[in-house]
Amino acid sequence: AADAATKEGPLDPVRSFVVTLIGVVSIVTCTFGNLAAYGQRNIKRMLAYSTIAHAGFMMMPVAAAVALVGIGNTAAAAEAIAALMLYATIYLFMNLGAFAIIAFMRNSMQSEEIKDYSGLIGRSPVIAVAMTLILVSLVGLPPLAGFWPKLRVLQALYEAGGPLLMFVMVAAAINTAISLVYYLRVAKTMCIDSPPD
């Protein structure tokens, strides 16, 4: 990435402040959402808190786009916004699928507790596999749809460069690892754990 100091302008301090503000808020939002989701035992609340984490993740390419415009790389800034739109679109369908399955299972089991999903693979294999695929996609693991927008967000942060955005990129990777734990815990409950008595 080009050095921002070579393109001094009257709006540079404001632009730097906006990038810092959005970057810090995105890290705090993402981390809060993931840590709150990690401790949940209710699957609907877990997904609701993970939505907060995804909102934080969606703010990250905005910070990158503002920084890229500041160094005159408007093409890369447009790519950062395109990454945001791709993330929002794919996330919308993943979340709709997850909440639809939860609503269906709530009517069937009269429970939203994660422990009650134990052994779901034996009772409803199609639902268990579909939910597992959605959860893995929400983490952002390849080759599922959720991988590509997360990769593009990280690429936008890398393109923008700078110590703050590199820190945002590291925080995004750490938060993805946190989300891996609680999403796959639900998948394990559904597909590996023994069904309740």
Side-chain angles (χ1 to χ4, degrees), residues 89-133:
T89 303
I90 290 176
Y91 174 74
L92 171 70
F93 288 104
M94 291 187 299
N95 227 26
L96 284 174
F99 277 108
I101 289 172
I102 290 169
F104 176 77
M105 294 308 296
R106 168 69 176 90
N107 293 338
S108 172
M109 299 188 311
Q110 302 301 311
S111 174
E112 292 173 352
E113 296 299 307
I114 294 172
K115 64 180 174 56
D116 293 328
Y117 281 70
S118 296
L120 185 64
I121 191 85
R123 301 187 310 268
S124 301
V126 173
I127 290 175
V129 169
M131 186 65 167
T132 299
L133 288 173

mmCIF file of all heavy atoms in Angstrom, residues 89-133:
data_model
loop_
_atom_site.group_PDB
_atom_site.id
_atom_site.type_symbol
_atom_site.label_atom_id
_atom_site.label_comp_id
_atom_site.label_asym_id
_atom_site.label_seq_id
_atom_site.Cartn_x
_atom_site.Cartn_y
_atom_site.Cartn_z
ATOM 1 N N THR A 89 -24.732 -9.766 1.854
ATOM 2 C CA THR A 89 -25.670 -10.589 1.083
ATOM 3 C C THR A 89 -25.593 -12.054 1.486
ATOM 4 O O THR A 89 -26.617 -12.689 1.785
ATOM 5 C CB THR A 89 -25.382 -10.448 -0.430
ATOM 6 O OG1 THR A 89 -25.469 -9.064 -0.783
ATOM 7 C CG2 THR A 89 -26.361 -11.249 -1.251
ATOM 8 N N ILE A 90 -24.383 -12.594 1.533
ATOM 9 C CA ILE A 90 -24.233 -14.013 1.882
ATOM 10 C C ILE A 90 -24.624 -14.252 3.333
ATOM 11 O O ILE A 90 -25.303 -15.228 3.657
ATOM 12 C CB ILE A 90 -22.798 -14.490 1.584
ATOM 13 C CG1 ILE A 90 -22.596 -14.536 0.060
ATOM 14 C CG2 ILE A 90 -22.524 -15.860 2.197
ATOM 15 C CD1 ILE A 90 -21.212 -14.900 -0.385
ATOM 16 N N TYR A 91 -24.248 -13.324 4.223
ATOM 17 C CA TYR A 91 -24.597 -13.469 5.627
ATOM 18 C C TYR A 91 -26.116 -13.456 5.824
ATOM 19 O O TYR A 91 -26.645 -14.190 6.656
ATOM 20 C CB TYR A 91 -23.940 -12.359 6.461
ATOM 21 C CG TYR A 91 -24.388 -12.394 7.879
ATOM 22 C CD1 TYR A 91 -23.921 -13.376 8.744
ATOM 23 C CD2 TYR A 91 -25.329 -11.496 8.361
ATOM 24 C CE1 TYR A 91 -24.358 -13.442 10.046
ATOM 25 C CE2 TYR A 91 -25.775 -11.558 9.661
ATOM 26 C CZ TYR A 91 -25.282 -12.533 10.498
ATOM 27 O OH TYR A 91 -25.738 -12.604 11.782
ATOM 28 N N LEU A 92 -26.819 -12.618 5.057
ATOM 29 C CA LEU A 92 -28.282 -12.549 5.155
ATOM 30 C C LEU A 92 -28.903 -13.924 4.928
ATOM 31 O O LEU A 92 -29.728 -14.387 5.717
ATOM 32 C CB LEU A 92 -28.831 -11.542 4.137
ATOM 33 C CG LEU A 92 -30.348 -11.531 3.977
ATOM 34 C CD1 LEU A 92 -31.018 -10.963 5.220
ATOM 35 C CD2 LEU A 92 -30.748 -10.740 2.746
ATOM 36 N N PHE A 93 -28.480 -14.606 3.866
ATOM 37 C CA PHE A 93 -29.056 -15.916 3.560
ATOM 38 C C PHE A 93 -28.645 -16.979 4.577
ATOM 39 O O PHE A 93 -29.444 -17.835 4.947
ATOM 40 C CB PHE A 93 -28.686 -16.346 2.136
ATOM 41 C CG PHE A 93 -29.419 -15.561 1.097
ATOM 42 C CD1 PHE A 93 -28.782 -14.557 0.381
ATOM 43 C CD2 PHE A 93 -30.769 -15.793 0.849
ATOM 44 C CE1 PHE A 93 -29.467 -13.811 -0.564
ATOM 45 C CE2 PHE A 93 -31.461 -15.063 -0.099
ATOM 46 C CZ PHE A 93 -30.804 -14.066 -0.810
ATOM 47 N N MET A 94 -27.400 -16.912 5.054
ATOM 48 C CA MET A 94 -26.967 -17.875 6.078
ATOM 49 C C MET A 94 -27.777 -17.691 7.361
ATOM 50 O O MET A 94 -28.220 -18.661 7.974
ATOM 51 C CB MET A 94 -25.473 -17.715 6.370
ATOM 52 C CG MET A 94 -24.567 -18.149 5.246
ATOM 53 S SD MET A 94 -22.812 -18.128 5.683
ATOM 54 C CE MET A 94 -22.535 -16.418 6.085
ATOM 55 N N ASN A 95 -27.968 -16.440 7.756
ATOM 56 C CA ASN A 95 -28.701 -16.169 8.993
ATOM 57 C C ASN A 95 -30.178 -16.531 8.863
ATOM 58 O O ASN A 95 -30.770 -17.074 9.798
ATOM 59 C CB ASN A 95 -28.542 -14.696 9.378
ATOM 60 C CG ASN A 95 -28.187 -14.540 10.829
ATOM 61 O OD1 ASN A 95 -27.604 -15.425 11.433
ATOM 62 N ND2 ASN A 95 -28.537 -13.414 11.394
ATOM 63 N N LEU A 96 -30.776 -16.220 7.718
ATOM 64 C CA LEU A 96 -32.174 -16.605 7.499
ATOM 65 C C LEU A 96 -32.328 -18.120 7.593
ATOM 66 O O LEU A 96 -33.279 -18.616 8.209
ATOM 67 C CB LEU A 96 -32.658 -16.107 6.133
ATOM 68 C CG LEU A 96 -32.977 -14.613 6.036
ATOM 69 C CD1 LEU A 96 -33.298 -14.245 4.595
ATOM 70 C CD2 LEU A 96 -34.127 -14.236 6.950
ATOM 71 N N GLY A 97 -31.404 -18.854 7.001
ATOM 72 C CA GLY A 97 -31.450 -20.310 7.076
ATOM 73 C C GLY A 97 -31.318 -20.818 8.490
ATOM 74 O O GLY A 97 -32.066 -21.696 8.936
ATOM 75 N N ALA A 98 -30.371 -20.248 9.253
ATOM 76 C CA ALA A 98 -30.158 -20.683 10.631
ATOM 77 C C ALA A 98 -31.386 -20.405 11.495
ATOM 78 O O ALA A 98 -31.851 -21.276 12.231
ATOM 79 C CB ALA A 98 -28.927 -19.991 11.215
ATOM 80 N N PHE A 99 -31.941 -19.198 11.398
ATOM 81 C CA PHE A 99 -33.103 -18.864 12.225
ATOM 82 C C PHE A 99 -34.348 -19.637 11.787
ATOM 83 O O PHE A 99 -35.197 -19.949 12.627
ATOM 84 C CB PHE A 99 -33.355 -17.353 12.221
ATOM 85 C CG PHE A 99 -32.499 -16.612 13.213
ATOM 86 C CD1 PHE A 99 -31.448 -15.816 12.786
ATOM 87 C CD2 PHE A 99 -32.721 -16.729 14.571
ATOM 88 C CE1 PHE A 99 -30.652 -15.140 13.698
ATOM 89 C CE2 PHE A 99 -31.928 -16.060 15.500
ATOM 90 C CZ PHE A 99 -30.886 -15.261 15.057
ATOM 91 N N ALA A 100 -34.464 -19.955 10.498
ATOM 92 C CA ALA A 100 -35.593 -20.778 10.043
ATOM 93 C C ALA A 100 -35.516 -22.177 10.643
ATOM 94 O O ALA A 100 -36.531 -22.722 11.115
ATOM 95 C CB ALA A 100 -35.613 -20.855 8.514
ATOM 96 N N ILE A 101 -34.326 -22.757 10.661
ATOM 97 C CA ILE A 101 -34.153 -24.089 11.255
ATOM 98 C C ILE A 101 -34.445 -24.034 12.754
ATOM 99 O O ILE A 101 -35.122 -24.914 13.305
ATOM 100 C CB ILE A 101 -32.739 -24.632 10.974
ATOM 101 C CG1 ILE A 101 -32.616 -24.995 9.486
ATOM 102 C CG2 ILE A 101 -32.435 -25.850 11.846
ATOM 103 C CD1 ILE A 101 -31.214 -25.357 9.054
ATOM 104 N N ILE A 102 -33.968 -22.986 13.433
ATOM 105 C CA ILE A 102 -34.222 -22.852 14.868
ATOM 106 C C ILE A 102 -35.716 -22.726 15.142
ATOM 107 O O ILE A 102 -36.249 -23.346 16.076
ATOM 108 C CB ILE A 102 -33.445 -21.655 15.447
ATOM 109 C CG1 ILE A 102 -31.950 -21.969 15.456
ATOM 110 C CG2 ILE A 102 -33.916 -21.319 16.851
ATOM 111 C CD1 ILE A 102 -31.075 -20.780 15.757
ATOM 112 N N ALA A 103 -36.418 -21.943 14.329
ATOM 113 C CA ALA A 103 -37.868 -21.794 14.519
ATOM 114 C C ALA A 103 -38.582 -23.117 14.299
ATOM 115 O O ALA A 103 -39.480 -23.496 15.063
ATOM 116 C CB ALA A 103 -38.413 -20.734 13.561
ATOM 117 N N PHE A 104 -38.161 -23.854 13.280
ATOM 118 C CA PHE A 104 -38.753 -25.158 12.995
ATOM 119 C C PHE A 104 -38.510 -26.121 14.155
ATOM 120 O O PHE A 104 -39.433 -26.811 14.609
ATOM 121 C CB PHE A 104 -38.170 -25.721 11.693
ATOM 122 C CG PHE A 104 -38.638 -27.100 11.365
ATOM 123 C CD1 PHE A 104 -39.896 -27.314 10.835
ATOM 124 C CD2 PHE A 104 -37.815 -28.194 11.592
ATOM 125 C CE1 PHE A 104 -40.336 -28.591 10.542
ATOM 126 C CE2 PHE A 104 -38.240 -29.472 11.305
ATOM 127 C CZ PHE A 104 -39.505 -29.672 10.773
ATOM 128 N N MET A 105 -37.282 -26.149 14.652
ATOM 129 C CA MET A 105 -36.945 -27.052 15.748
ATOM 130 C C MET A 105 -37.610 -26.611 17.059
ATOM 131 O O MET A 105 -37.973 -27.445 17.878
ATOM 132 C CB MET A 105 -35.423 -27.133 15.932
ATOM 133 C CG MET A 105 -34.693 -27.769 14.757
ATOM 134 S SD MET A 105 -35.356 -29.379 14.268
ATOM 135 C CE MET A 105 -35.020 -30.343 15.710
ATOM 136 N N ARG A 106 -37.787 -25.305 17.237
ATOM 137 C CA ARG A 106 -38.473 -24.806 18.433
ATOM 138 C C ARG A 106 -39.906 -25.328 18.466
ATOM 139 O O ARG A 106 -40.407 -25.752 19.503
ATOM 140 C CB ARG A 106 -38.454 -23.265 18.424
ATOM 141 C CG ARG A 106 -39.367 -22.595 19.453
ATOM 142 C CD ARG A 106 -38.842 -22.818 20.857
ATOM 143 N NE ARG A 106 -39.635 -22.119 21.844
ATOM 144 C CZ ARG A 106 -40.691 -22.635 22.459
ATOM 145 N NH1 ARG A 106 -41.119 -23.836 22.165
ATOM 146 N NH2 ARG A 106 -41.325 -21.962 23.390
ATOM 147 N N ASN A 107 -40.577 -25.321 17.337
ATOM 148 C CA ASN A 107 -41.947 -25.839 17.266
ATOM 149 C C ASN A 107 -41.979 -27.346 17.469
ATOM 150 O O ASN A 107 -42.936 -27.884 18.018
ATOM 151 C CB ASN A 107 -42.587 -25.470 15.929
ATOM 152 C CG ASN A 107 -42.817 -23.984 15.799
ATOM 153 O OD1 ASN A 107 -42.894 -23.276 16.787
ATOM 154 N ND2 ASN A 107 -42.918 -23.510 14.574
ATOM 155 N N SER A 108 -40.934 -28.018 17.029
ATOM 156 C CA SER A 108 -40.890 -29.476 17.125
ATOM 157 C C SER A 108 -40.484 -29.950 18.520
ATOM 158 O O SER A 108 -41.096 -30.862 19.073
ATOM 159 C CB SER A 108 -39.905 -30.013 16.086
ATOM 160 O OG SER A 108 -39.679 -31.378 16.253
ATOM 161 N N MET A 109 -39.443 -29.327 19.099
ATOM 162 C CA MET A 109 -38.886 -29.792 20.376
ATOM 163 C C MET A 109 -39.372 -28.995 21.576
ATOM 164 O O MET A 109 -39.113 -29.390 22.708
ATOM 165 C CB MET A 109 -37.353 -29.716 20.353
ATOM 166 C CG MET A 109 -36.689 -30.549 19.309
ATOM 167 S SD MET A 109 -34.874 -30.602 19.492
ATOM 168 C CE MET A 109 -34.414 -28.898 19.685
ATOM 169 N N GLN A 110 -39.992 -27.843 21.348
ATOM 170 C CA GLN A 110 -40.406 -26.941 22.432
ATOM 171 C C GLN A 110 -39.202 -26.499 23.271
ATOM 172 O O GLN A 110 -39.303 -26.346 24.480
ATOM 173 C CB GLN A 110 -41.456 -27.610 23.329
ATOM 174 C CG GLN A 110 -42.698 -28.050 22.592
ATOM 175 C CD GLN A 110 -43.408 -26.903 21.895
ATOM 176 O OE1 GLN A 110 -43.654 -25.879 22.485
ATOM 177 N NE2 GLN A 110 -43.720 -27.075 20.621
ATOM 178 N N SER A 111 -38.058 -26.315 22.606
ATOM 179 C CA SER A 111 -36.856 -25.883 23.321
ATOM 180 C C SER A 111 -35.908 -25.187 22.356
ATOM 181 O O SER A 111 -35.859 -25.516 21.171
ATOM 182 C CB SER A 111 -36.148 -27.089 23.940
ATOM 183 O OG SER A 111 -34.922 -26.693 24.513
ATOM 184 N N GLU A 112 -35.162 -24.236 22.915
ATOM 185 C CA GLU A 112 -34.105 -23.566 22.155
ATOM 186 C C GLU A 112 -32.746 -23.784 22.813
ATOM 187 O O GLU A 112 -31.772 -23.144 22.446
ATOM 188 C CB GLU A 112 -34.393 -22.064 22.048
ATOM 189 C CG GLU A 112 -35.601 -21.741 21.195
ATOM 190 C CD GLU A 112 -35.972 -20.276 21.232
ATOM 191 O OE1 GLU A 112 -35.389 -19.516 22.042
ATOM 192 O OE2 GLU A 112 -36.852 -19.887 20.451
ATOM 193 N N GLU A 113 -32.705 -24.675 23.799
ATOM 194 C CA GLU A 113 -31.451 -24.950 24.487
ATOM 195 C C GLU A 113 -30.554 -25.810 23.591
ATOM 196 O O GLU A 113 -31.014 -26.781 22.991
ATOM 197 C CB GLU A 113 -31.707 -25.658 25.804
ATOM 198 C CG GLU A 113 -32.475 -24.821 26.812
ATOM 199 C CD GLU A 113 -31.735 -23.543 27.186
ATOM 200 O OE1 GLU A 113 -30.563 -23.644 27.583
ATOM 201 O OE2 GLU A 113 -32.332 -22.464 27.070
ATOM 202 N N ILE A 114 -29.285 -25.467 23.535
ATOM 203 C CA ILE A 114 -28.345 -26.189 22.676
ATOM 204 C C ILE A 114 -28.252 -27.656 23.086
ATOM 205 O O ILE A 114 -28.183 -28.540 22.240
ATOM 206 C CB ILE A 114 -26.960 -25.509 22.708
ATOM 207 C CG1 ILE A 114 -27.056 -24.120 22.069
ATOM 208 C CG2 ILE A 114 -25.913 -26.354 22.003
ATOM 209 C CD1 ILE A 114 -25.820 -23.261 22.212
ATOM 210 N N LYS A 115 -28.319 -27.928 24.389
ATOM 211 C CA LYS A 115 -28.195 -29.323 24.853
ATOM 212 C C LYS A 115 -29.320 -30.208 24.311
ATOM 213 O O LYS A 115 -29.138 -31.408 24.135
ATOM 214 C CB LYS A 115 -28.161 -29.381 26.376
ATOM 215 C CG LYS A 115 -29.428 -28.912 27.066
ATOM 216 C CD LYS A 115 -29.298 -28.996 28.573
ATOM 217 C CE LYS A 115 -30.485 -28.398 29.288
ATOM 218 N NZ LYS A 115 -31.772 -28.963 28.931
ATOM 219 N N ASP A 116 -30.469 -29.613 24.021
ATOM 220 C CA ASP A 116 -31.593 -30.396 23.496
ATOM 221 C C ASP A 116 -31.419 -30.765 22.023
ATOM 222 O O ASP A 116 -32.218 -31.526 21.479
ATOM 223 C CB ASP A 116 -32.905 -29.647 23.711
ATOM 224 C CG ASP A 116 -33.253 -29.540 25.193
ATOM 225 O OD1 ASP A 116 -32.892 -30.477 25.944
ATOM 226 O OD2 ASP A 116 -33.846 -28.525 25.597
ATOM 227 N N TYR A 117 -30.403 -30.212 21.391
ATOM 228 C CA TYR A 117 -30.089 -30.578 20.002
ATOM 229 C C TYR A 117 -29.196 -31.821 19.944
ATOM 230 O O TYR A 117 -28.827 -32.265 18.867
ATOM 231 C CB TYR A 117 -29.394 -29.412 19.295
ATOM 232 C CG TYR A 117 -30.333 -28.323 18.840
ATOM 233 C CD1 TYR A 117 -30.976 -27.495 19.753
ATOM 234 C CD2 TYR A 117 -30.584 -28.114 17.496
ATOM 235 C CE1 TYR A 117 -31.835 -26.493 19.350
ATOM 236 C CE2 TYR A 117 -31.444 -27.111 17.065
ATOM 237 C CZ TYR A 117 -32.068 -26.308 18.004
ATOM 238 O OH TYR A 117 -32.924 -25.324 17.597
ATOM 239 N N SER A 118 -28.842 -32.377 21.104
ATOM 240 C CA SER A 118 -27.969 -33.558 21.155
ATOM 241 C C SER A 118 -28.547 -34.694 20.324
ATOM 242 O O SER A 118 -29.725 -35.027 20.436
ATOM 243 C CB SER A 118 -27.800 -34.034 22.601
ATOM 244 O OG SER A 118 -27.162 -33.072 23.362
ATOM 245 N N GLY A 119 -27.704 -35.287 19.487
ATOM 246 C CA GLY A 119 -28.108 -36.436 18.686
ATOM 247 C C GLY A 119 -29.136 -36.120 17.616
ATOM 248 O O GLY A 119 -29.806 -37.025 17.127
ATOM 249 N N LEU A 120 -29.248 -34.872 17.219
ATOM 250 C CA LEU A 120 -30.229 -34.490 16.199
ATOM 251 C C LEU A 120 -29.987 -35.216 14.880
ATOM 252 O O LEU A 120 -30.929 -35.492 14.138
ATOM 253 C CB LEU A 120 -30.197 -32.971 15.974
ATOM 254 C CG LEU A 120 -31.245 -32.403 15.017
ATOM 255 C CD1 LEU A 120 -32.658 -32.617 15.572
ATOM 256 C CD2 LEU A 120 -30.991 -30.920 14.781
ATOM 257 N N ILE A 121 -28.749 -35.582 14.628
ATOM 258 C CA ILE A 121 -28.411 -36.285 13.378
ATOM 259 C C ILE A 121 -29.176 -37.599 13.255
ATOM 260 O O ILE A 121 -29.528 -38.025 12.155
ATOM 261 C CB ILE A 121 -26.885 -36.517 13.272
ATOM 262 C CG1 ILE A 121 -26.485 -36.995 11.874
ATOM 263 C CG2 ILE A 121 -26.395 -37.520 14.301
ATOM 264 C CD1 ILE A 121 -26.268 -35.909 10.906
ATOM 265 N N GLY A 122 -29.483 -38.234 14.380
ATOM 266 C CA GLY A 122 -30.228 -39.491 14.338
ATOM 267 C C GLY A 122 -31.715 -39.301 14.111
ATOM 268 O O GLY A 122 -32.365 -40.123 13.464
ATOM 269 N N ARG A 123 -32.262 -38.188 14.625
ATOM 270 C CA ARG A 123 -33.695 -37.929 14.496
ATOM 271 C C ARG A 123 -34.049 -37.197 13.210
ATOM 272 O O ARG A 123 -35.063 -37.490 12.585
ATOM 273 C CB ARG A 123 -34.183 -37.095 15.693
ATOM 274 C CG ARG A 123 -33.957 -37.754 17.032
ATOM 275 C CD ARG A 123 -34.605 -36.994 18.183
ATOM 276 N NE ARG A 123 -34.320 -35.580 18.243
ATOM 277 C CZ ARG A 123 -33.328 -35.030 18.936
ATOM 278 N NH1 ARG A 123 -32.500 -35.812 19.624
ATOM 279 N NH2 ARG A 123 -33.155 -33.727 18.974
ATOM 280 N N SER A 124 -33.222 -36.216 12.847
ATOM 281 C CA SER A 124 -33.488 -35.381 11.665
ATOM 282 C C SER A 124 -32.168 -35.118 10.945
ATOM 283 O O SER A 124 -31.597 -34.026 11.049
ATOM 284 C CB SER A 124 -34.123 -34.056 12.077
ATOM 285 O OG SER A 124 -35.318 -34.258 12.774
ATOM 286 N N PRO A 125 -31.665 -36.110 10.212
ATOM 287 C CA PRO A 125 -30.336 -35.961 9.610
ATOM 288 C C PRO A 125 -30.226 -34.801 8.622
ATOM 289 O O PRO A 125 -29.207 -34.121 8.580
ATOM 290 C CB PRO A 125 -30.082 -37.308 8.924
ATOM 291 C CG PRO A 125 -31.396 -37.982 8.851
ATOM 292 C CD PRO A 125 -32.247 -37.433 9.930
ATOM 293 N N VAL A 126 -31.271 -34.545 7.842
ATOM 294 C CA VAL A 126 -31.201 -33.459 6.850
ATOM 295 C C VAL A 126 -31.073 -32.110 7.551
ATOM 296 O O VAL A 126 -30.257 -31.262 7.162
ATOM 297 C CB VAL A 126 -32.437 -33.492 5.919
ATOM 298 C CG1 VAL A 126 -32.473 -32.280 5.014
ATOM 299 C CG2 VAL A 126 -32.456 -34.773 5.102
ATOM 300 N N ILE A 127 -31.866 -31.916 8.606
ATOM 301 C CA ILE A 127 -31.807 -30.656 9.349
ATOM 302 C C ILE A 127 -30.458 -30.506 10.040
ATOM 303 O O ILE A 127 -29.860 -29.420 10.033
ATOM 304 C CB ILE A 127 -32.965 -30.569 10.359
ATOM 305 C CG1 ILE A 127 -34.279 -30.399 9.596
ATOM 306 C CG2 ILE A 127 -32.758 -29.431 11.344
ATOM 307 C CD1 ILE A 127 -35.509 -30.408 10.453
ATOM 308 N N ALA A 128 -29.947 -31.577 10.624
ATOM 309 C CA ALA A 128 -28.655 -31.507 11.314
ATOM 310 C C ALA A 128 -27.532 -31.170 10.343
ATOM 311 O O ALA A 128 -26.675 -30.323 10.639
ATOM 312 C CB ALA A 128 -28.366 -32.827 12.019
ATOM 313 N N VAL A 129 -27.541 -31.794 9.171
ATOM 314 C CA VAL A 129 -26.496 -31.520 8.178
ATOM 315 C C VAL A 129 -26.638 -30.100 7.641
ATOM 316 O O VAL A 129 -25.645 -29.368 7.508
ATOM 317 C CB VAL A 129 -26.541 -32.560 7.032
ATOM 318 C CG1 VAL A 129 -25.647 -32.142 5.873
ATOM 319 C CG2 VAL A 129 -26.121 -33.932 7.549
ATOM 320 N N ALA A 130 -27.874 -29.668 7.356
ATOM 321 C CA ALA A 130 -28.090 -28.306 6.849
ATOM 322 C C ALA A 130 -27.625 -27.270 7.867
ATOM 323 O O ALA A 130 -26.942 -26.293 7.521
ATOM 324 C CB ALA A 130 -29.561 -28.096 6.507
ATOM 325 N N MET A 131 -27.971 -27.476 9.131
ATOM 326 C CA MET A 131 -27.567 -26.524 10.175
ATOM 327 C C MET A 131 -26.050 -26.520 10.348
ATOM 328 O O MET A 131 -25.444 -25.458 10.530
ATOM 329 C CB MET A 131 -28.266 -26.863 11.493
ATOM 330 C CG MET A 131 -28.035 -25.855 12.583
ATOM 331 S SD MET A 131 -28.768 -24.266 12.175
ATOM 332 C CE MET A 131 -28.680 -23.458 13.762
ATOM 333 N N THR A 132 -25.437 -27.686 10.280
ATOM 334 C CA THR A 132 -23.981 -27.767 10.401
ATOM 335 C C THR A 132 -23.302 -27.014 9.259
ATOM 336 O O THR A 132 -22.347 -26.262 9.476
ATOM 337 C CB THR A 132 -23.517 -29.238 10.426
ATOM 338 O OG1 THR A 132 -24.102 -29.876 11.568
ATOM 339 C CG2 THR A 132 -22.009 -29.342 10.509
ATOM 340 N N LEU A 133 -23.805 -27.178 8.042
ATOM 341 C CA LEU A 133 -23.230 -26.459 6.900
ATOM 342 C C LEU A 133 -23.381 -24.947 7.068
ATOM 343 O O LEU A 133 -22.459 -24.177 6.770
ATOM 344 C CB LEU A 133 -23.881 -26.917 5.598
ATOM 345 C CG LEU A 133 -23.507 -28.316 5.119
ATOM 346 C CD1 LEU A 133 -24.342 -28.722 3.915
ATOM 347 C CD2 LEU A 133 -22.016 -28.400 4.792
#
